[in-house]
Amino acid sequence: MENKPTNSFTYTQPYDESHVSHDISKMAMLFIDLMCQQAEANKSYGELIRSKDALAQFGFNNTKNAELLGEMSTQISEYKNAIDTLAFMESVWKKFGRDAMVVRYDQFFQILEKYDMVCGSFDRYLGCVPQFALDTLTRLNEMWERKELADEYANPFEWSNVFSIYNEHAAISSLKSHLRMPFMAAEHIVNKINDATGCEGDGFIKNPTPNNLSDVLFIAAPAADMQPIEMGVEFRTEKLEELRGAIPTTIPERREALQESLYMGFLSYTEYNRIEKEFFMAMEKRRREIRAAHKGVKDEENRLKEIIAASDINRYAKIKFIHKEPEIVRILKDPFICSLTTYGVLIHTKWGAEAEDATIRHYEQLRDAIMGGAK
């Protein structure tokens, strides 16, 4: 069935700050709830973890104790992860204030999709910067200068500017998902981002060294207020790879060898002319085959480019084969400042919470319970 170019963007009614505040609080609350449940369900494993560590410390790796603990490794790992995550959240609130939030990558991506937001560098943002966001950035910059903004809270990253498309039918949706979170970061974080967006990124960076605050912080803002990121698109569909693989190779030149045979007396002029004519006929045939194969590849590439160009993807990315102006559709007006962590996206600024919102109150109760040392 022919894949016709379609506009993939569906307009949604505008939202205000209260919608976003509610949803972010809900996602953060669900994350805390899940970790608390895992910790409570497996709290008996705390003693087992200490036993396992002690066995390893003294070399009892082949004992029955170690074998039984190994069989419980999944439950122990879940418990340890829950405890570590809750401890990390508590350290975030102590370091950055109680308004900071940690949201799982997949849930953060849901927020981006719902409100048509993208993650990007500060220089791509064209909207207004709220004063509270500037105050937060000033405080974070002071921490950066004092070398207090460790990788634990702000993992360094780079921006991915190339995307490979393997599936024609999912081309637009996969590219758009990538453009919402176009990160190259440490491998374990990139893997979580890929899982959240449902598409493969373009690799990860090893031992990144951040030079300034912009290397560890990013803005999540409405697409309407973000300059489209410059993105190169490579097509790697199965059909196109087959066409590329079918391009013939050139016949090697044999004219010098023929002339040498003539001079040495191995060939008569008649035989030489016959072989040379056959050779050039074969070469011309091969050139026609090569031109036709390259044209087939080019035609297929152009067909795929038309599918991308006919979509609304230019609202998110500047791609060299798309020349039309992007459509501006505003769903939301304010951004927030974030960083990448092992556990999820750390949101440093957010919209003011409305006190009557039950979800926000529940989140604050959970947060205060953890801060207060409650189980």
Side-chain angles (χ1 to χ4, degrees):
M1 185 176 67
E2 185 181 358
N3 191 352
K4 295 182 179 180
T6 58
N7 191 328
S8 62
F9 179 73
T10 302
Y11 177 74
T12 311
Q13 66 175 3
Y15 296 95
D16 59 33
E17 292 89 337
S18 64
H19 292 98
V20 185
S21 183
H22 171 90
D23 280 0
I24 292 176
S25 298
K26 181 174 70 174
M27 295 304 186
M29 180 191 72
L30 289 174
F31 195 16
I32 295 173
D33 252 340
L34 177 62
M35 293 301 101
C36 287
Q37 289 171 18
Q38 287 185 356
E40 181 64 26
N42 299 292
K43 63 182 180 181
S44 59
Y45 288 112
E47 187 62 39
L48 295 179
I49 290 174
R50 288 189 287 275
S51 299
K52 186 177 182 181
D53 291 342
L55 288 169
Q57 178 184 357
F58 296 111
F60 292 115
N61 299 313
N62 299 313
T63 60
K64 290 293 183 183
N65 313 53
E67 182 181 348
L68 289 171
L69 289 172
E71 294 173 357
M72 301 176 183
S73 59
T74 300
Q75 293 90 337
I76 291 175
S77 177
E78 288 179 354
Y79 171 77
K80 191 173 187 305
N81 177 66
I83 294 300
D84 290 346
T85 303
L86 291 170
F88 175 74
M89 290 176 178
E90 185 177 8
S91 70
V92 163
W93 293 318
K94 289 179 177 178
K95 194 173 189 69
F96 301 103
R98 297 195 174 202
D99 286 336
M101 289 182 168
V102 181
V103 179
R104 250 172 39 180
Y105 283 101
D106 58 335
Q107 294 172 333
F108 182 76
F109 183 71
Q110 290 173 27
I111 295 286
L112 297 181
E113 282 195 309
K114 179 173 181 178
Y115 298 108
D116 192 39
M117 304 178 76
V118 296
C119 301
S121 53
F122 294 158
D123 60 352
R124 288 178 55 198
Y125 182 60
L126 305 174
C128 295
V129 182
Q131 184 59 48
F132 66 83
L134 284 175
D135 294 341
T136 299
L137 282 171
T138 299
R139 177 168 51 83
L140 290 171
N141 190 57
E142 291 171 352
M143 295 175 66
W144 169 267
E145 292 177 347
R146 296 194 300 266
K147 302 186 184 304
E148 294 177 358
L149 200 59
D151 288 1
E152 179 185 5
Y153 303 107
N155 202 284
F157 60 84
E158 295 175 3
W159 296 106
S160 171
N161 57 8
V162 176
F163 187 72
S164 298
I165 290 176
Y166 295 93
N167 185 336
E168 170 187 343
H169 302 287
I172 296 169
S173 60
S174 62
L175 178 55
K176 186 183 293 186
S177 294
H178 176 72
L179 291 170
R180 293 204 190 280
M181 299 183 74
F183 293 108
M184 291 178 63
E187 184 175 11
H188 66 287
I189 289 178
V190 167
N191 288 338
K192 291 183 178 182
I193 291 173
N194 291 345
D195 289 343
T197 59
C199 63
E200 293 184 13
D202 290 286
F204 55 91
I205 50 178
K206 297 180 179 179
N207 304 319
T209 303
N211 297 312
N212 52 58
L213 196 64
S214 298
D215 292 335
V216 297
L217 295 180
F218 63 92
I219 191 168
D225 287 328
M226 294 288 281
Q227 276 187 336
I229 186 174
E230 292 192 7
M231 180 67 62
V233 176
E234 296 178 347
F235 296 101
R236 293 281 184 260
T237 62
E238 184 177 352
K239 180 179 179 180
L240 193 52
E241 290 298 289
E242 288 178 0
L243 289 171
R244 287 169 178 156
I247 296 177
T249 56
T250 304
I251 297 175
E253 293 287 349
R254 297 185 297 173
R255 195 168 191 179
E256 290 185 2
L258 283 172
Q259 289 176 341
E260 184 178 352
S261 297
L262 176 66
Y263 296 149
M264 296 294 292
F266 297 133
L267 289 174
S268 66
Y269 277 105
T270 301
E271 188 70 12
Y272 170 82
N273 289 334
R274 183 186 66 78
I275 295 174
E276 186 178 43
K277 182 179 179 181
E278 290 177 354
F279 170 70
F280 281 111
M281 287 177 63
M283 282 294 293
E284 183 57 32
K285 180 183 178 183
R286 182 53 59 90
R287 289 191 185 100
R288 288 196 300 270
E289 292 173 348
I290 292 171
R291 284 195 294 270
H294 279 293
K295 184 178 183 303
V297 170
K298 190 69 174 177
D299 289 347
E300 177 64 9
E301 286 179 343
N302 287 336
R303 188 183 70 83
L304 294 170
K305 287 178 180 179
E306 287 177 5
I307 293 173
I308 300 297
S311 74
D312 64 320
I313 207 71
N314 60 331
R315 298 180 65 248
Y316 308 94
K318 184 179 179 180
I319 301 172
K320 63 180 181 181
F321 57 79
I322 301 180
H323 306 293
K324 67 177 183 178
E325 289 297 317
E327 179 186 6
I328 303 300
V329 180
R330 181 172 302 285
I331 292 180
L332 199 69
K333 67 177 183 178
D334 287 326
F336 41 92
I337 308 298
C338 315
S339 60
L340 304 179
T341 77
T342 297
Y343 302 95
V345 174
L346 171 53
I347 300 175
H348 295 277
T349 64
K350 67 179 182 64
W351 293 271
E354 296 183 2
E356 66 272 14
D357 190 299
T359 300
I360 295 173
R361 287 205 308 273
H362 188 188
Y363 165 76
E364 291 173 343
Q365 289 167 359
L366 284 171
R367 177 199 64 194
D368 294 342
I370 293 172
M371 289 289 286
K375 298 295 182 182

